[in-house]
C-alpha cells in the first residue's frame, strides 16, 4: 500500500523577541528561525482499518490524539476527505520539550507526507495555512531554512541562509513548559534583541554580525530557574564558540563555532562534565542545498 519516509528537521532560534501580548493570550513575536541538520524519521503507511495508529521509539511520548502527528493527520483527513486509516512510525531524535520544535516538525512532515502520498497537489503555502491549526511553529517547519517569524510565529519571511558553521546543541536534563515560560515573562523588563540588525547581517553573509546579536527574551524567565543553562553557555563561550544562547523557551542551549575541532572538543567536555546532557554536533540546514 501507499507509504512514504520523511525527515522532520529541528530548528533553533538565532533571535527571539516578544513584542506584545494579544487579547487571546497569544504573544506577538519576532524570531529568527534556522533549521538544523538534526531530524526525526517518520514512516507513514496507509492501512485498511479506519484508524490513526502511532508507534514511537520513545515510551514517554503519547500515541493517541495528544500526539501532534495525530492532530496534523486529522486536519489533512478532514480537509481533503482522505479515506481509510494511517499508520505512523516515529523515530525520535530531536530532544523533546526542548525549544527545538520537535513536535511541530513531526506535524509538518505528516502534512507534507500525506500531500505527496495522496497526490493532493497542494502548494506549500496551503499546507502552511492549515498547519497553524496544529501549532504556531508548524508553518515554519513546512517552509524550513532561515526565516523571520512574526505574528504568533506564522507570518514568515524567508531570509538569506545562515553562513556555514558548526552548531553544538546541548539539552540539560531539565524540563521546561513553553506555556509557563510565556506566562511568566514580564515584558516591561525585557531586553529586546536587535532582530533587524540580525536580518541585515544575514543578508551580508556576516556570521559574526549574527552571533554578536544573539538574544532571547525568554532566557530571563528560564535561566534563573535553571542555572545549568548559564553553565552550558559559559562553557561553550570559554571553549571558543562565537556565541551561545538558549533556543525557544529552553532549556536547550546551542553554540555556534567556526572551527570544527573546537566544537567537537567542547561537545566532549560537556558530555564529561554533564553526563546527563543530550549533546549533538550539527550544521545549518539550508534550502539552497536541499530541495524541499
Ligand atoms: P517548541 O520549540 O515548538 O516549543 P518543544 O521542543 O518545546 O517545541 P516538543 O518537543 O515539540 O516541544 O513537545 C512538547 C510536548 O508535546 C511534549 O511534552 C510531548 O509530550 C508532546 N508531544 C506530542 N506529540 C509529540 C511529538 N510528535 N514529538 C514530541 N513531542 C510531542
Amino acid at each position: 500500500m501507499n507509504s512514504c519516509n520523511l525527515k522532520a528537521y529541528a530548528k533553533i532560534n538565532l533571535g527571539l523577541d516578544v513584542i506584545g501580548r494579544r487579547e487571546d493570550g497569544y504573544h506577538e513575536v519576532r524570531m529568527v528561525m534556522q533549521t538544523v541538520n538534526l531530524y526525526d524519521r517518520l514512516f507513514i503507511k496507509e492501512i485498511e482499518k479506519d484508524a490513526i495508529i502511532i508507534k514511537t521509539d520513545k515510551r514517554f511520548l503519547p500515541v493517541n490524539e495528544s500526539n501532534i502527528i495525530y492532530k496534523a493527520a486529522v486536519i489533512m483527513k478532514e480537509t481533503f476527505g482522505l479515506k481509510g486509516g494511517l499508520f505512523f512510525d516515529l523515530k525520535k531524535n530531536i530532544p523533546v520539550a526542548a525549544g527545538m520544535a520537535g513536535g511541530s516538525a513531526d506535524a509538518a512532515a505528516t502534512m507534507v507526507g500525506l500531500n505527496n502520498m495522496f497526490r493532493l497537489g497542494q502548494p506549500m503555502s496551503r499546507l502552511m495555512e492549515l498547519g497553524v491549526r496544529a501549532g504556531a511553529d508548524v508553518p515554519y517547519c513546512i517552509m524550513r531554512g532561515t526565516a523571520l517569524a512574526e505574528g504568533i510565529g506564522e507570518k514568515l519571511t524567508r531570509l538569506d541562509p545562515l553562513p556555514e558553521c558548526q552548531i553544538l546543541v546541548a539539552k540539560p536534563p531539565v524540563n521546561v513548559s513553553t506555556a509557563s515560560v510565556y506566562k511568566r515573562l514580564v515584558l516591561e523588563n525585557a531586553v529586546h534583541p536587535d532582530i533587524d540588525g540580525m536580518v541585515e547581517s544575514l543578508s551580508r553573509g556576516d556570521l559574526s554580525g549574527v552571533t554578536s546579536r544573539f538574544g532571547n527574551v525568554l532566557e530571563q524567565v528560564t535561566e534563573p530557574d535553571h542555572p545549568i543553562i548559564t553553565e552550558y553557555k559559559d562553557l561553550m563561550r570559554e571553549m571558543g564558540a562565537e556565541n551561545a544562547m538558549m533556543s525557544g523557551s529552553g532549556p536547550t542551549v546551542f553554540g555556534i563555532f567556526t572551527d570544527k575541532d573546537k566544537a567537537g572538543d567542547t561537545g566532549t567536555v560537556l558530555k564529561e562534565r554533564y553526563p546527563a546532557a543530550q549533546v549533538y554536533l550539527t550544521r545549518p540546514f539550508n534550502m539552497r542545498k536541499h530541495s524541499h
Side-chain angles (χ1 to χ4, degrees), residues 3-215:
S3 68
C4 84
N5 271 299
L6 298 124
K7 290 179 180 173
Y9 288 88
K11 63 86 181 162
I12 53 173
N13 295 98
L14 301 172
L16 195 162
D17 197 9
V18 177
I19 56 175
R21 203 169 261 139
R22 301 198 318 194
E23 302 240 312
D24 60 6
Y26 278 102
H27 289 78
E28 292 271 351
V29 295
R30 292 192 83 214
M31 311 189 282
V32 177
M33 322 282 281
Q34 174 66 51
T35 308
V36 295
N37 195 29
L38 167 64
Y39 49 82
D40 294 344
R41 281 184 181 277
L42 185 65
F43 170 72
I44 315 180
K45 191 173 72 171
E46 242 187 307
I47 52 172
E48 305 253 332
K49 188 174 165 214
D50 187 11
I52 294 173
I53 299 171
I54 300 174
K55 190 181 141 204
T56 156
D57 58 347
K58 293 285 181 291
R59 280 235 189 117
F60 53 86
L61 284 180
V63 290
N64 55 13
E65 63 283 354
S66 307
N67 196 304
I68 190 167
I69 291 174
Y70 194 104
K71 291 181 189 150
V74 168
I75 292 169
M76 292 298 282
K77 267 169 88 61
E78 287 179 352
T79 308
F80 301 107
L82 307 181
K83 299 276 175 283
L86 294 167
F87 169 79
F88 295 89
D89 188 0
L90 175 68
K91 300 258 182 299
K92 191 86 206 162
N93 300 311
I94 304 173
V96 176
M100 299 193 78
S104 306
D106 297 340
T110 299
M111 300 182 79
V112 170
L114 295 177
N115 188 44
N116 294 343
M117 272 169 68
F118 290 90
R119 293 185 170 57
L120 301 174
Q122 297 298 314
M124 214 208 280
S125 57
R126 173 81 173 122
L127 298 180
M128 287 162 67
E129 237 170 69
L130 290 170
V132 73
R133 289 193 221 157
D137 283 343
V138 176
Y140 166 70
C141 290
I142 293 173
M143 179 180 182
R144 306 197 291 200
T146 314
L148 177 66
E150 296 173 292
I152 61 163
E154 89 296 6
K155 285 191 193 132
L156 296 162
T157 312
R158 184 165 305 283
L159 300 174
D160 290 288
L162 181 68
E164 193 49 47
C165 59
Q166 303 292 318
I167 305 174
L168 184 68
V169 171
K171 181 187 177 262
V174 295
N175 291 318
V176 167
S177 145
T178 303
S180 117
V181 170
Y182 272 97
K183 213 171 283 166
R184 287 183 296 135
L185 173 68
V186 182
L187 267 181
E188 293 67 33
N189 300 343
V191 179
H192 297 282
D194 177 13
I195 300 286
D196 293 329
M198 184 176 283
V199 169
E200 208 177 282
S201 302
L202 284 165
S203 72
R204 288 197 308 265
D206 172 9
L207 183 64
S208 64
V210 173
T211 55
S212 65
R213 288 177 177 81
F214 269 8

